[in-house]
């Protein structure tokens, strides 16, 4: 069924069908959620997003964004290419374009006296897997969205927010000014591993308890393979510390690939709405926090 429906029609067409064709969605007690537009859903604050009316966890819950994502996951095979990361496909589906800055060219060819025209479109592919990606857009806020539009907004916001947060940590930990903080963790660790050191740093210096706790979980599940016994060796001189910065950035990049490429990891991170908030710490705030070193474990 879905194979004949264009991607841009997915939101308005597939999702209500999915909802009404028996995939259970959990309706939170006390919330008036209905996909029937004739039943007032009392969701106006959540479907009208402005610069002051930011995404919030209560709206994430009311809009049942976790169910929306689960439904999206269950239709992946029909709407996405097997070579696409789920996050690329989700962005393409929600935005109804295959990437950023798309331009189309009309190519006319003449063969045997017959002129034919074809459209070719080039886009910068969406990429929320690479740290500091310029191709992981923030969703466009708008007012009076439909419920599926608002759910799509939250889904894309979560991708964006995770990429921003991981990138902020990577940028901050890669600063020379963070070396005393790294050293204070190394000083207190007998067999440091990338995961262990990163987890300690996030725990000691993080500024967003909920999002940080999710990051710690991701760091741990992403290291199902045994962490390398430390490369570089746990020296405490400047060269070793500089190498450690690279090790931590590398670990965060792997976590970012996992978040944008593995739906289970992504839902683990964003499924409680912890990334559907504004004001998560960015690089500058984390740099400042990491510069206040000598904290306890
Ligand atoms: C849900 O709707 C019922 C009946 O319209 C109303 O009494 C109740 O207060 C509503 N609940 C919420 C959370 O809006
Ligand atoms: C235009 O069409 C011809 C014939 O189909 C093809 O060989 C050529 O690569 C096309 N050019 C562009 C820019 O798409
Ligand atoms: C190219 O795409 C545009 C927009 O989708 C459409 O209006 C136009 O008819 C297409 N042209 C050709 C030759 O396919
Ligand atoms: C898209 O185009 C804008 C304006 O030209 C540019 O600033 C931006 O960097 C482009 N984005 C990407 C990912 O290339
Ligand atoms: C949203 O729609 C309602 C009813 O159609 C309208 O009264 C209101 O002005 C709209 N709000 C915005 C911000 O567009
Ligand atoms: C870590 O230990 C080294 C020597 O073992 C010491 O010079 C340094 O001050 C300690 N740094 C911190 C942040 O505890
Ligand atoms: C780590 O720090 C704690 C508390 O500051 C201290 O009791 C402990 O001995 C330290 N461990 C190492 C290996 O330095
Ligand atoms: C996503 O879909 C796949 C395939 O249908 C399923 O195996 C997997 O459990 C789903 N993941 C989550 C987190 O629901
Ligand atoms: C996806 O991540 C989960 C943990 O979040 C892990 O158990 C699973 O093996 C991963 N899947 C793949 C294909 O890497």
């Amino acid at each position: 069924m879905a194979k004949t429906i264009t991607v841009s029609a997915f939101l308005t067409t597939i999702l209500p069908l999915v909802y009404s064709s028996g995939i259970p969605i959990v309706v939170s007690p006390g919330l008036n959620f209905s996909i029937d537009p004739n039943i007032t859903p009392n969701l106006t604050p959540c479907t009208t997003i402005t610069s002051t009316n930011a995404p919030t966890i209560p709206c994430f819950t009311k809009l049942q964004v976790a169910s929306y994502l689960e439904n999206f996951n269950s239709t992946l095979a029909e709407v996405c290419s097997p070579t696409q990361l789920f996050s690329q496909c989700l962005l393409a589906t929600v935005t109804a374009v295959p990437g950023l800055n798309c331009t189309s060219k009309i190519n006319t060819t003449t063969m045997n006296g017959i002129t034919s025209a074809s459209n070719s479109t080039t886009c910068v592919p969406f990429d929320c897997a690479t740290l500091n990606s310029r191709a992981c857009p923030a969703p466009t806020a708008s007012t009076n969205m439909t419920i599926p539009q608002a759910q799509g907004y939250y889904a894309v916001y979560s991708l964006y927010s995770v990429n921003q947060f991981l990138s902020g940590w990577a940028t901050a930990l890669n600063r020379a000014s963070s070396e005393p903080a790294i050293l204070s963790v190394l000083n207190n660790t007998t067999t440091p591993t990338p995961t262990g050191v990163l987890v300690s740093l996030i725990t000691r210096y993080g500024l967003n308890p909920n999002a940080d706790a999710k990051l710690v979980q991701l760091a741990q599940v992403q290291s199902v393979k045994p962490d390398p016994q430390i490369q570089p060796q746990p020296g405490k001189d400047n060269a070793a510390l500089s190498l450690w910065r690279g090790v931590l950035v590398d670990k965060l990049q792997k976590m970012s690939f996992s978040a944008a490429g593995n739906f289970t990891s992504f839902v683990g991170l964003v499924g409680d709405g912890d990334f559907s908030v504004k004001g998560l710490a960015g690089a500058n705030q984390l740099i400042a926090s990491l510069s206040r070193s000598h904290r306890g474990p």
Side-chain angles (χ1 to χ4, degrees):
M1 135 198 110
K3 288 199 174 86
T4 59
I5 296 171
T6 63
V7 164
S8 59
F10 174 85
L11 274 181
T12 50
T13 312
I14 305 273
L15 279 175
L17 288 180
V18 170
Y19 280 137
S20 59
S21 69
I23 293 184
I25 56 169
V26 181
V27 178
S28 310
L31 294 176
N32 290 333
F33 179 86
S34 173
I35 57 162
D36 183 343
N38 295 323
I39 301 174
T40 306
N42 194 19
L43 282 172
T44 310
C46 301
T47 53
T48 289
I49 297 183
T50 63
S51 53
T52 49
N53 181 17
T56 63
I57 293 180
C59 282
F60 180 96
T61 306
K62 272 197 178 192
L63 287 165
Q64 303 189 4
V65 183
S67 301
Y68 172 92
L69 290 171
E70 292 295 337
N71 284 337
F72 176 77
N73 180 50
S74 70
T75 56
L76 270 181
E78 283 125 65
V79 296
C80 304
S81 143
T83 58
Q84 254 180 333
L85 294 182
F86 90 83
S87 52
Q88 278 179 314
C89 180
L90 181 59
L91 270 158
T93 304
V94 170
T95 60
V97 290
L100 281 176
N101 293 355
C102 299
T103 55
S104 61
K105 256 192 220 151
I106 298 191
N107 181 8
T108 53
T109 47
T110 306
M111 203 185 262
N112 302 331
I114 300 168
T115 301
S116 59
S118 64
N119 275 345
S120 71
T121 305
T122 53
C123 301
V124 180
F126 289 124
D127 174 13
C128 290
T130 306
L131 293 177
N132 292 308
S133 171
R134 289 195 303 126
C136 182
T140 310
S142 67
T143 53
N144 281 353
M145 289 185 281
T146 64
I147 289 171
Q149 282 169 342
Q151 290 170 321
Y153 175 92
Y154 268 79
V156 171
Y157 189 87
S158 300
L159 285 170
Y160 168 76
S161 176
V162 166
N163 184 266
Q164 291 281 307
F165 197 56
L166 286 166
S167 300
W169 271 105
T171 300
L173 287 170
N174 205 17
R175 284 295 177 93
S177 60
S178 297
E179 287 184 359
I182 297 173
L183 183 59
S184 74
V185 167
L186 291 175
N187 271 7
N188 208 303
T189 314
T190 43
T191 52
T193 62
T195 303
V197 172
L198 181 62
V199 164
S200 295
L201 286 163
I202 292 172
T203 308
R204 287 188 196 184
Y205 297 99
L207 300 169
N208 305 102
N210 293 348
D212 289 334
K214 292 292 162 64
L215 224 53
V216 164
Q217 279 173 24
L218 178 64
Q220 284 160 347
V221 296
Q222 191 275 319
S223 71
V224 277
K225 294 173 213 109
D227 247 356
Q229 262 308 311
I230 196 48
Q231 296 290 334
Q233 292 299 313
K236 289 166 188 171
D237 58 25
N238 290 341
L241 284 172
S242 159
L243 286 169
W244 259 106
R245 281 152 53 191
V247 166
L248 295 169
V249 170
D250 186 53
K251 169 74 186 172
L252 284 160
Q253 178 56 76
K254 287 186 179 129
M255 288 161 61
S256 180
F257 282 139
S258 175
N262 179 326
F263 181 76
T264 307
S265 294
F266 180 68
V267 166
L269 270 178
V270 310
D272 294 334
D274 292 325
F275 287 84
S276 290
V277 293
K278 282 205 168 173
L280 291 180
N284 289 341
Q285 287 159 288
L286 292 170
I287 287 167
S289 179
L290 284 155
S291 302
R292 296 190 287 271
S293 68
H294 311 295
R295 293 206 189 168

